[in-house]
Amino acid sequence: MTTPATATATAPVADARALGLAHYAARGVLERVLARYGTTFQQQVTLRAAVTADTPPTPEQLIAQVQGSLKADPADIRATLDELLARDLLVADGAHLRPTGAGRELIATLGAATAPLSARIWGGIPAEDLAAAGRVLALVTERADAELAALTD
């Protein structure tokens, strides 16, 4: 039987590989759910950003936000916006984009479909472990963003 002390002593060290494996495992689960609704990962991220925005964003604002999150090519994000507009999940309102009722409904449906999966994946992890992981991941993100900015200058 593994005790907490043994589990800590034998736990893998958090590194780029462990982070990548966790990311792709969780993303694989999410993408299976998204596929049931004919939605891609980038479409979901983009639509969620529009749905949760305090004020309707312009296409450029939405592209910048998604690029900041996904580090995706702006041309690919613009194509994603076009897909969401074609599916009537977003609508142009002057210079701004607004989620439609169907767009809001899709985000709510996806949230409901992923909630039990997320609960099983994240459930039971002690709050102090989640807080420590959050601090480490925030620092890794900050450093990686700085390195990416240096590479693109």
Side-chain angles (χ1 to χ4, degrees), residues 57-144:
T58 65
E60 292 73 25
Q61 290 169 330
L62 200 50
I63 289 168
Q65 182 178 351
V66 173
Q67 184 181 24
S69 296
L70 299 183
K71 314 307 184 239
D73 184 312
D76 292 340
I77 301 167
R78 187 164 297 282
T80 297
L81 288 179
D82 291 341
E83 293 162 0
L84 294 171
L85 287 161
R87 290 179 62 189
D88 293 322
L89 299 171
L90 288 178
V91 64
D93 182 9
H96 298 89
L97 296 174
R98 292 185 186 276
T100 63
R104 291 182 184 284
E105 184 178 322
L106 178 60
I107 289 299
T109 299
L110 294 171
T114 58
L117 302 168
S118 294
R120 288 193 296 274
I121 291 168
W122 291 92
I125 299 174
E128 60 273 9
D129 289 351
L130 292 173
R135 288 189 301 274
V136 170
L137 292 173
L139 182 58
V140 168
T141 301
E142 180 183 317
R143 290 177 178 179

Side-chain angles (χ1 to χ4, degrees), residues 15-31 41 45 69-70 121-122 137:
D15 60 10
R17 181 177 184 279
L19 173 62
L21 291 173
H23 164 79
Y24 283 110
R27 183 165 168 179
V29 170
L30 176 59
E31 287 184 346
F41 180 73
V45 169
S69 296
L70 299 183
I121 291 168
W122 291 92
L137 292 173

